[in-house]
Amino acid sequence: MTAVIRKAIPADADFIVESNCAMALETEQKELSRDVVSRGVRTLLDRPELGFYLVAVIDGQPVASLMITTEWSDWRNGLFWWVQSVYVTPDFRRQGIYRQMYRQVQILAEEQGGVCGFRLYVERENRRAQQTYQSLGMSECDYRLYEQLS
């Protein structure tokens, strides 16, 4: 199945909010505040220096989304692009939609220049997603993720 992959526009915000909330519930059993997520999505759409979203569209309807944010690497003198908030609606899973989106991420990085690699995090139990990422040439790294929320 071929989708049109494009950068998100403000009209995509509601779809992205619903996708993010659905992904959190499916993968982490977390109920997110739609109001907070909506403000977060709209902030990123309004401030491209923070990153961007891609959406996959089939027959005029968005069916998948992902977010890209950046991390500067002084070791590599380049940017890592972090792939986050990946969601494909259930009816369109296992049909190559994410593969098309990831390829578009790679194309955009090549066009921009200065991108030294791609990173993402995935739940330990999400074997299907891990297999997908490995099939696209990504490999597990030696780092663990720590956080402190404020």
Side-chain angles (χ1 to χ4, degrees), residues 117-133:
F118 308 99
R119 289 184 169 162
L120 56 79
Y121 52 88
V122 61
E123 292 294 313
R124 287 183 184 98
E125 295 79 28
N126 195 342
R127 301 287 183 224
R128 181 172 276 180
Q130 292 169 30
Q131 290 170 345
T132 297
Y133 303 141

Side-chain angles (χ1 to χ4, degrees), residues 27-121:
T27 61
E28 301 180 39
Q29 293 71 54
K30 288 185 181 177
E31 291 253 0
L32 301 180
S33 163
R34 279 181 168 61
D35 181 55
V36 171
V37 174
S38 180
R39 289 194 315 258
V41 167
R42 292 172 203 287
T43 296
L44 189 77
L45 289 169
D46 290 341
R47 297 187 53 200
E49 72 274 14
L50 297 177
F52 61 90
Y53 293 100
L54 291 182
V55 293
V57 179
I58 296 176
D59 295 330
Q61 295 298 314
V63 300
S65 62
L66 63 76
M67 178 176 71
I68 298 293
T69 59
T70 63
E71 171 193 355
W72 177 253
S73 174
D74 55 349
W75 289 10
R76 294 171 180 86
N77 190 34
L79 289 170
F80 276 101
W81 277 13
W82 278 86
V83 179
Q84 301 181 67
S85 300
V86 174
Y87 189 76
V88 179
T89 55
D91 290 345
F92 292 92
R93 292 180 185 164
R94 312 307 297 169
Q95 297 181 41
I97 302 295
Y98 177 75
R99 178 176 298 277
Q100 293 171 58
M101 295 183 82
Y102 186 64
R103 181 63 192 133
Q104 185 63 28
V105 166
Q106 293 171 313
I107 290 167
L108 292 171
E110 290 170 20
E111 289 174 353
Q112 175 177 303
V115 177
C116 62
F118 308 99
R119 289 184 169 162
L120 56 79
Y121 52 88

Side-chain angles (χ1 to χ4, degrees), residues 7-19:
K7 283 192 175 179
I9 58 174
D12 297 314
D14 289 341
F15 173 76
I16 295 168
V17 169
E18 292 306 313
S19 295

